[in-house]
Amino acid sequence: MLGESESATTKAVGAVFPTILGGMLGKTQDSGAMGQIFDLLKDKANDGSILNNVGSLLGGSSKEPINALGGKFLSSIFGDKLSSIAGVLSNFAGIKNSSASSLLSMAGPLIMGVLGDRIRKGGLNLGGLTNLLVSQKDSIISAAPQALAGVLGLGNLKNLGTNLVSGAANAGKKGSSWLWPLLILLAVIIGLWLLLRGCGTTEPAAAVDSLK
């Protein structure tokens, strides 16, 4: 559907989730920015239904509530650097900038759905969300394109969240092991959907249903 090769699409889809999460991790030291992100995650339009209908992100209107919310979410994380983030993803996977932008637009609402669901079910406040992100730091930075550090103004991705209160990472580990496997599953589903849609089929629908 993106007009990219199978290998490039797979590589890009595998990098887009940690790229966005890395951006969020970079905001964890800014309480104002994190507060804005937290409010977006709690928005009534982010009701988790997107996780049961991943295919709706493909070709969905940007005016649809969850897609519009996803755009605000990405802007809150990356601001005027969003086009540069698309460039990082493009260079990393060898895809067009337009394809990278499309993937970011698809992944944003999915991450919102996952985190919003966790906030509701776990009763998380802003501190709890921050701890959850910090607990996944090692996985995020190992999967994200290293060029992300430059766009975020860092010398190394390991510097993400380094000034947070000591113990925050350990505080977030309890009950957070589900996050990374679920995001990997979503990445696999999007990858399959894109590849099979490019072949004129819609077979991944059954896989998407498994998220319900």
Side-chain angles (χ1 to χ4, degrees), residues 2 4 86-87 90 95-106:
L2 295 176
E4 306 289 353
S90 170
I95 61 175
K96 300 186 294 291
N97 268 36
S98 59
S99 298
S101 294
S102 294
L103 282 177
L104 285 166
S105 296
M106 294 176 200

Side-chain angles (χ1 to χ4, degrees), residues 81 146-154:
K81 297 177 180 179
Q146 292 303 302
L148 177 63
V151 176
L152 297 180
L154 301 171

Side-chain angles (χ1 to χ4, degrees), residues 48-57 110 193 208-209 211-212:
S49 61
I50 192 64
L51 299 176
N52 297 326
N53 191 20
V54 177
S56 67
L57 293 172
L110 291 176
W193 195 290
V208 174
D209 285 342
L211 289 175
K212 294 181 179 179

Side-chain angles (χ1 to χ4, degrees), residues 24 27-28 30-38 126 129-130 133:
M24 289 187 69
K27 292 292 186 182
T28 52
D30 184 339
S31 59
M34 281 302 296
Q36 183 178 11
I37 291 170
F38 187 69
L126 179 55
L129 173 63
T130 299
L133 288 169

Side-chain angles (χ1 to χ4, degrees), residues 45-84:
N46 186 35
D47 58 5
S49 61
I50 192 64
L51 299 176
N52 297 326
N53 191 20
V54 177
S56 67
L57 293 172
L58 307 182
S61 170
S62 60
K63 295 182 180 180
E64 293 180 6
I66 188 59
N67 290 337
L69 199 64
K72 293 179 181 179
F73 175 65
L74 292 175
S75 294
S76 294
I77 297 171
F78 298 116
D80 60 4
K81 297 177 180 179
L82 188 54
S83 60
S84 297

Side-chain angles (χ1 to χ4, degrees), residues 182-195:
L182 179 55
L183 291 174
I184 290 175
L185 175 59
L186 288 173
V188 169
I189 290 173
I190 288 182
L192 285 172
W193 195 290
L194 289 171
L195 293 173

Side-chain angles (χ1 to χ4, degrees), residues 104-122:
L104 285 166
S105 296
M106 294 176 200
L110 291 176
I111 289 180
M112 291 191 72
V114 170
L115 295 179
D117 183 69
R118 182 57 177 169
I119 287 171
R120 288 188 298 274
K121 292 182 177 178

